């Protein structure tokens, strides 16, 4: 098995009304060219849930109300997984090149979570045109409405 090392490039800041990504000073030049993008993809580490016990879980018991009785963790959006890498797309509010603060609309991260990578969102290559799966192809309309909270 290979060993990997990751470099933290910044932190998630949730202390204000609007969250931000705070990049380390050495990565400020890496922001060049990012202005003008409305959305970015952020890679962050779910460090607040890191334990060998949780990382060893391979199957979850009924994680979804209308889902199967059990399902493999790799088929879920659960934070319980072998590697705690989270990759959301976020809307950019403001980008400060002087201090490396990227104001964003929302991110599902805790305050001070380590940020590992940022890249621009390209709608022509980062979007899947006709995805299939549990939400789009294998459930009934009523279950879909239950999942989004319209029908009980």
């Amino acid at each position: 098995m290979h060993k990997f090392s990751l470099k933290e490039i910044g932190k998630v800041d949730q202390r204000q009304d609007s969250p931000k990504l705070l990049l380390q000073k050495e990565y400020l030049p890496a922001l060049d060219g990012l202005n003008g993008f409305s959305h970015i993809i952020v890679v962050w580490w779910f460090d607040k849930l890191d334990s060998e016990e949780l990382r060893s879980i391979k199957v979850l018991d009924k994680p979804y109300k209308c889902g199967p009785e059990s399902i493999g963790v790799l088929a879920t959006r659960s934070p319980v997984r072998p590697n705690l890498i989270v990759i959301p797309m976020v809307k950019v509010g403001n980008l400060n090149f002087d201090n490396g603060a990227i104001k964003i609309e929302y991110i599902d991260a805790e305050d001070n979570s380590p940020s590992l990578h940022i890249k621009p969102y390209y709608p022509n290559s980062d979007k899947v045109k006709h995805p299939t799966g549990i939400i789009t192809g294998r459930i009934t309309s009523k279950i879909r409405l239950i999942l989004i909270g319209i029908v009980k």
Side-chain angles (χ1 to χ4, degrees):
M1 186 178 302
H2 295 286
K3 287 250 182 203
F4 296 92
S5 70
L6 300 170
K7 284 189 168 193
E8 179 180 311
I9 64 167
K11 297 276 188 191
V12 174
D13 181 352
Q14 293 276 20
R15 294 173 293 169
Q16 305 289 321
D17 289 339
S18 181
K20 0 181 194 327
L21 303 172
L22 302 176
L23 265 59
Q24 295 174 6
K25 298 288 185 216
E26 68 182 284
Y27 294 102
L28 294 183
L31 290 174
D32 187 30
L34 196 60
N35 57 323
F37 285 94
S38 65
H39 292 76
I40 57 175
I41 297 169
V42 179
V43 179
W44 64 274
W45 190 262
F46 206 152
D47 64 322
K48 309 293 189 280
L49 198 64
D50 199 353
S51 78
E52 285 303 316
E53 180 184 355
L54 290 175
R55 284 181 176 228
S56 68
I57 296 172
K58 308 292 188 282
V59 176
L60 297 173
D61 293 331
K62 197 163 180 81
Y64 305 114
K65 183 177 178 180
C66 296
E69 290 304 312
S70 65
I71 191 168
V73 296
L74 300 180
T76 73
R77 301 296 298 250
S78 170
V80 174
R81 49 201 331 90
N83 292 300
L84 306 173
I85 298 170
V86 185
I87 311 174
M89 180 201 42
V90 300
K91 185 173 184 178
V92 176
N94 185 19
L95 182 57
N96 186 321
F97 290 95
D98 296 326
N99 66 8
I102 304 171
K103 194 173 186 179
I104 55 179
E105 197 170 275
Y106 173 80
I107 190 166
D108 58 345
E110 297 291 327
D111 186 45
N112 222 27
S113 292
S115 175
L116 304 174
H117 186 65
I118 295 169
K119 63 183 183 174
Y121 171 78
Y122 287 105
N124 58 338
S125 60
D126 292 328
K127 177 182 172 186
V128 178
K129 292 192 188 328
H130 304 289
T132 60
I134 191 164
I135 298 299
T136 60
R138 295 189 303 198
I139 61 173
T140 67
S141 295
K142 182 174 181 181
I143 292 174
R144 189 174 294 117
L145 294 175
I146 291 169
L147 288 173
I148 60 174
I150 295 174
V151 174
K152 293 187 180 191

